[in-house]
Amino acid sequence: MRTAEWVWEIRTEFPALSREIEGKVPVFLDGPGGSQVPRRVLEAMAAAMIEASANTHGAFPTSRRLDALIAEARQAAADLVGASPEEIVFGPNMTTLTFHISRAIGRILRPGDEIVVTRLDHDANVAPWLALEERGAVIRWVDFHPEDGTLDLEGLARALSERTRLVAVGYASNALGTVNPVRRIVEMAHAVGAWVYVDAVHAAPHLFIDVQELECDFLVCSAYKFFGPHVGFLYGRADRLTALRPYKVRPAPDQPPEAFETGTQNHEGLAGLIAAVDYLADLGRRFGNPINPSQRAAIRAAMERIREHERALCARLLEGLEEIPSVTVYGIRTMERWSERVPTLSFRAKKWDPREIATALGQEGIYVWDGNFYALGVTERLGLEGQGGLVRVGALHYNTLEEVNRFLETLHRLLSRK
């Protein structure tokens, strides 16, 4: 099997993918920690710094340009997830936004109200809710199945009650690649009157997101995971945002979404976010089959094409890792369950510490992550916290089968040393 021609074509748009580092052109399999960016993102950010370097709501041209840029960014984020621009809140990243929203939600909780979190989540969707224990909230934990990395839905059902006020859940696990059945989880939570807060950071570069279909109350992303800069955004259902009273400075607007945006935003980052979403839509128009000319339809077409290519990458990764006797892969290990995962795989190898493997691969120009990836509940539940955690390999659509084979061949050669 060969890499599709369209992948080679889009790779030319990413300057980092052809750049030599320490004498080698790297294989970037570190995507779960942050993606590389297309040239148009860099150019958009530079242009914003030149043409709209001001603050908002001024009586002069550069400020008006900035106001227009922010409005365009809200529309771009809304197009990405299927929301209205008025439901998009910007912030530095998912973690900061989640702490901000959790504090606002904390204002309407009563002692004894319950919040459900999971051991499968990134800690950015756990710690902000644990902090509400100080206000009298009761935290209910939901486990996952260690044998395949899937959420324990029966355990979730037991955790829900008439006192549940919010369920915090990830769309896709950044450690094991599991895709959670978010729509089903939302239905379970709404049945007891609870809100659902979805961490979609790891899902965004892999899956077509539709907050209307999911019917979630909140969903949060970070653009640096889907080919953009370091800026985050939150979708909040209009009536949910209106029901909350955010912490803010007194002169700031009282109405959402601006009421939730503390301080001056990363304006050049928002320009980069627009360009990242435009890149995805352009990919869909060029290489997919959009059902209509809209930006949203083009994004859907792009994610369908991306998903198709990533399936081939994941299949080869699973096949190759399973062929190495000393390697143990965690999570879903069969392509028959492809709908339940993204191409992020974590493993360990006998006699090797994960940092040793990541270091050795890095010296060969292959970039992977090691540790707990802030998914502390995962490594604790697997008994690997304090033992180096896991090695994580994450494929994105700009990766090729040739790169995956280079990784597998190099890994096999390295592990044979012990």
Side-chain angles (χ1 to χ4, degrees):
M1 185 180 292
R2 294 182 178 179
T3 300
E5 287 300 321
W6 69 266
V7 177
W8 294 110
E9 188 170 338
I10 64 97
R11 281 176 64 87
T12 64
E13 302 181 40
F14 288 77
L17 299 185
S18 58
R19 176 172 170 259
E20 279 196 7
I21 299 177
E22 297 180 351
K24 298 179 179 68
V25 177
V27 173
F28 291 101
L29 293 174
D30 62 334
S35 62
Q36 303 305 311
V37 300
R39 188 174 289 104
R40 71 183 74 189
V41 169
L42 307 174
E43 292 170 350
M45 294 175 71
M49 294 292 286
I50 296 169
E51 299 167 6
S53 187
N55 219 314
T56 57
H57 311 311
F60 47 92
T62 51
S63 180
R64 291 196 295 270
R65 288 174 190 157
L66 175 61
D67 290 339
L69 184 151
I70 293 171
E72 186 179 356
R74 284 198 211 283
Q75 185 63 62
D79 286 339
L80 186 67
V81 300
S84 298
E86 297 77 16
E87 298 174 310
I88 299 297
V89 176
F90 292 124
N93 48 59
M94 177 271 178
T95 305
T96 302
L97 281 165
T98 304
F99 269 109
H100 189 38
I101 293 295
S102 75
R103 292 181 72 207
I105 288 175
R107 281 177 147 171
I108 62 174
L109 295 181
R110 296 179 179 179
D113 284 350
E114 297 176 359
I115 295 174
V116 175
V117 298
T118 92
R119 300 192 190 281
L120 191 57
D121 271 65
H122 187 292
D123 208 57
N125 204 23
V126 176
W129 310 112
L130 296 183
L132 296 182
E133 287 183 301
E134 298 172 358
R135 290 181 168 270
V138 175
I139 305 299
R140 301 294 185 197
W141 286 88
V142 175
D143 204 354
F144 65 92
H145 301 292
E147 60 272 15
D148 66 357
T150 57
L151 197 63
D152 180 2
L153 295 181
E154 292 181 359
L156 172 61
R158 290 192 298 271
L160 297 172
S161 75
E162 69 280 357
R163 297 304 304 271
T164 308
R165 297 293 173 261
L166 182 132
V167 175
V169 67
Y171 201 156
S173 166
N174 74 309
L176 303 180
T178 312
V179 174
N180 285 321
V182 173
R183 174 60 185 268
R184 183 176 173 189
I185 292 167
V186 170
E187 291 172 351
M188 294 169 67
H190 283 181
V192 297
W195 294 353
V196 180
Y197 190 97
V198 179
D199 170 7
V201 172
H202 196 64
H206 303 291
L207 304 175
F208 180 68
I209 298 172
D210 189 336
V211 295
Q212 306 306 320
E213 182 179 331
L214 296 175
E215 296 188 350
C216 56
D217 303 281
F218 303 92
L219 182 141
V220 65
C221 293
S222 286
Y224 74 99
K225 299 294 180 75
F226 60 85
F227 323 110
H230 290 84
V231 64
F233 75 87
L234 168 92
Y235 155 76
R237 215 174 84 179
D239 58 337
R240 303 308 191 212
L241 291 178
T242 303
L244 298 177
R245 186 163 56 94
Y247 288 84
K248 68 179 191 66
V249 295
R250 290 173 295 172
D254 292 322
Q255 298 302 314
E258 292 90 347
F260 291 86
E261 294 172 348
T262 54
T264 301
Q265 297 298 301
N266 178 357
H267 299 143
E268 62 273 20
L270 297 183
L273 183 150
I274 295 167
V277 174
D278 179 69
Y279 161 76
L280 288 171
D282 188 39
L283 190 158
R285 293 189 182 99
R286 290 159 61 193
F287 306 112
N289 295 295
I291 57 175
N292 61 56
S294 72
Q295 186 90 331
R296 179 75 173 150
I299 292 167
R300 178 190 286 272
M303 301 316 295
E304 289 172 352
R305 181 50 60 96
I306 285 170
R307 187 77 173 148
E308 176 187 345
H309 173 57
E310 290 183 344
R311 180 189 181 101
L313 298 177
C314 189
R316 181 66 190 114
L317 281 167
L318 277 172
E319 177 188 47
L321 288 171
E322 293 287 356
E323 288 173 350
I324 304 175
S326 63
V327 166
T328 299
V329 177
Y330 294 82
I332 294 170
R333 295 183 290 278
T334 171
M335 289 304 295
E336 293 176 358
R337 298 174 64 187
W338 169 241
S339 64
E340 299 175 62
R341 68 147 40 253
V342 294
T344 299
L345 292 87
S346 290
F347 67 92
R348 285 180 67 94
K350 294 177 182 176
K351 301 180 182 180
W352 286 79
D353 181 83
R355 175 50 64 97
E356 284 185 289
I357 295 174
T359 300
L361 286 170
Q363 291 168 349
E364 298 282 344
I366 299 170
Y367 300 172
V368 302
W369 284 104
D370 68 281
N372 62 26
F373 330 117
Y374 282 66
L376 183 62
V378 172
T379 50
E380 287 180 337
R381 180 66 176 88
L382 296 175
L384 302 176
E385 187 63 26
Q387 298 183 37
L390 296 156
V391 181
R392 182 179 66 181
V393 183
L396 290 170
H397 74 277
Y398 53 59
N399 290 121
T400 66
L401 286 165
E402 290 78 3
E403 288 181 321
V404 168
N405 284 328
R406 178 178 157 191
F407 155 71
L408 291 169
E409 291 162 6
T410 305
L411 178 66
H412 195 283
R413 174 168 49 81
L414 290 172
L415 296 184
S416 67
R417 292 177 183 175
K418 289 187 183 181

